[in-house]
Amino acid sequence: MSFKERVILLYDHFIILIRSISAFLLLLVIARILGKQTLSNMNFHDFVTAVIMGAIAANLAFNEKMEVIHLIISLVVFTGTSYLLSKLNLRSRKIRLLAEGSPTVLIEGGKILEHNLSKNKMTMDSLNQALRQKEVFDINEVEYALLEVNGQISVMKKKQFRTVTMQDIHKKDKTKEQMPIEIIMDGQLLKDNMSLSQVSQDQLTKQLKSHQKQISDVFYAVIGSNGKLYIDYYKDQLKHPVDVE
């Protein structure tokens, strides 16, 4: 190999090194822009974003036939699109449901919902595996199980199989538990869920008025498994928040 060929080879290696470092740094910046949610819980939107970003970054690092500026433009466009969609998700629950989907109940009241398993391409083997990862080896212990939008399984055990707390020891109320029912999210009343709850819209409105609040002031409201209503307002009036980002 001649000296000129060696120089050309070293130059090519140097270019790939620079492009690879640039791709890594760009992805690092993009991850910071898109936020922690993308890293911790992969939903449909995050999965598509990650695949596209990975493909573009790989081409940026190794594909010398493609112009660097074209790949950077693609990264900027997809980053901007993903960031805009994440902001729209915060503002609109309908857009969030379209982009991310919603949790699916797999076990309700101790009964397996076969149709929901089939709809999500899950078998009993995969369900049992997911339950074992939650330290549930006997499906008879499960009261409710949900498939979350990030593919994880959330499990509520039956009362007799749960770890006993001090609240359980002193609890006198033996009412039957239920799945929590969300009735307000992002200042919007979830009318379909209201029909499942034992609280009417008039009762909810009166309770809010007693605190000089209305539905649009509520960030989140849910009827817990114990039947009690939990309400969180947009303005919590915390004097000294522990951590504000």
Side-chain angles (χ1 to χ4, degrees), residues 9-61:
L9 183 61
L10 286 174
Y11 176 77
D12 290 339
H13 289 171
F14 178 74
I15 291 299
I16 290 176
L17 175 64
I18 296 299
R19 290 175 66 135
S20 299
I21 294 173
S22 301
F24 174 78
L25 293 176
L26 277 172
L27 285 181
L28 195 61
V29 171
I30 289 169
R32 291 287 297 174
I33 292 172
L34 296 181
K36 299 174 184 176
Q37 175 70 16
T38 304
L39 302 177
S40 59
N41 298 301
M42 292 282 287
N43 49 47
F44 293 125
H45 161 224
D46 298 327
F47 176 76
V48 171
T49 300
V51 171
I52 293 174
M53 294 298 182
I56 296 174
N59 279 290
L60 176 59

Side-chain angles (χ1 to χ4, degrees), residues 89-127:
N89 286 344
L90 292 175
R91 294 178 178 273
S92 172
R93 186 169 184 266
K94 290 182 178 179
I95 293 177
R96 187 161 64 246
L97 290 175
L98 287 173
E100 300 179 359
S102 59
T104 303
V105 179
L106 301 179
I107 299 176
E108 182 176 352
K111 304 297 182 182
I112 300 170
L113 305 183
E114 297 86 356
H115 176 70
N116 286 354
L117 277 178
S118 176
K119 188 170 66 174
N120 288 278
K121 310 296 187 296
M122 288 189 70
T123 64
M124 276 306 303
D125 289 331
S126 56
L127 176 60

Side-chain angles (χ1 to χ4, degrees), residues 170-232:
H170 298 291
K171 187 185 293 185
K172 295 180 180 179
D173 186 10
K174 302 296 182 181
T175 56
K176 185 179 178 182
E177 288 188 328
Q178 61 181 14
M179 275 292 291
I181 301 174
E182 299 168 330
I183 55 176
I184 298 177
M185 188 177 292
D186 299 331
Q188 296 181 353
L189 185 69
L190 308 181
K191 294 183 179 180
D192 292 339
N193 289 4
M194 284 293 295
S195 62
L196 301 175
S197 69
Q198 297 178 350
V199 178
S200 68
Q201 186 171 342
D202 290 337
Q203 290 174 320
L204 178 62
T205 304
K206 287 180 181 178
Q207 183 167 344
L208 291 175
K209 282 184 177 180
S210 66
H211 293 86
Q212 298 181 337
K213 300 287 185 180
Q214 54 187 357
I215 292 176
S216 59
D217 297 321
V218 180
F219 175 67
Y220 183 68
V222 60
I223 299 174
S225 57
N226 58 0
K228 295 182 178 180
L229 179 63
Y230 169 84
I231 299 177
D232 181 82

